[in-house]
Amino acid sequence: DDGDDGDDDDMQMQRSNAPQATINISRLWPLPFLCIGAGIPPILRLLLLSQEQQQQQPSITPPPPYPSPSELLSVAVPPIAIAAVVTAALSLVVTQGLQFYAKSGASRTSESLALNSQRDVEFIRPLVEKVTAAVTTFHETTTTTTTTTTTTTTTT
């Protein structure tokens, strides 16, 4: 008896669990600035329009006043709000979509099998010997090539 209870349940392929989809909040620090930046184009458009109107006015009439802060705010808030809502919705939808995809099982393409029982030794030993021989041969070849290159360089 090799210590195993003879049950083949431990020899069944096991499907690995998909990682849970999450958002790393610390990496999203630029998003608030980008959302606020969405308000810049309408503010610039309003200021440029105001400047054009001032230049087109004859010198006799008083120039129209520059836009007030409340006017600037009223043109900036809608794009900022839209950007914030879209950003929040995308982060929620993408996270939920990835979690659904991971739970469906379609995302996992690999299965694993534990090969750590006593009866697995005769299967694993030749594999380990082949890998060890390949690594040793690679290491010797690499060392020999490096030594030959160094020797050639020093003699020339």
Side-chain angles (χ1 to χ4, degrees):
D1 190 14
D2 58 3
D4 291 329
D5 59 2
D7 190 22
D8 284 334
D9 287 340
D10 60 341
M11 293 304 292
Q12 295 293 318
M13 296 291 278
Q14 299 295 319
R15 181 163 236 154
S16 58
N17 294 329
Q20 184 175 1
T22 58
I23 291 181
N24 185 352
I25 301 295
S26 66
R27 300 187 117 196
L28 300 179
W29 64 267
L31 291 179
F33 298 109
L34 292 173
C35 290
I36 291 171
I40 294 174
I43 290 174
L44 289 176
R45 193 176 318 114
L46 183 63
L47 291 173
L48 290 174
L49 182 63
S50 171
Q51 186 179 17
E52 279 181 23
Q53 287 175 352
Q54 286 182 353
Q55 290 175 353
Q56 292 175 355
Q57 288 291 328
S59 59
I60 302 170
T61 60
Y66 279 105
S68 68
S70 63
E71 290 175 320
L72 294 175
L73 190 61
S74 69
V75 297
V77 167
I80 292 172
I82 291 169
V85 167
V86 168
T87 300
L90 280 176
S91 64
L92 180 66
V93 167
V94 168
T95 304
Q96 293 301 320
L98 288 174
Q99 286 178 357
F100 176 76
Y101 182 70
K103 287 180 182 176
S104 72
S107 65
R108 302 311 281 183
T109 58
S110 63
E111 293 183 346
S112 62
L113 177 67
L115 295 173
N116 57 354
S117 68
Q118 189 65 31
R119 61 183 167 201
D120 298 325
V121 170
E122 56 189 70
F123 172 72
I124 295 172
R125 182 168 287 145
L127 294 175
V128 171
E129 290 171 357
K130 288 178 183 178
V131 169
T132 304
V135 169
T136 304
T137 304
F138 177 76
H139 179 67
E140 289 172 357
T141 304
T142 307
T143 306
T144 304
T145 304
T146 305
T147 306
T148 305
T149 305
T150 306
T151 305
T152 305
T153 306
T154 55
T155 57
T156 323

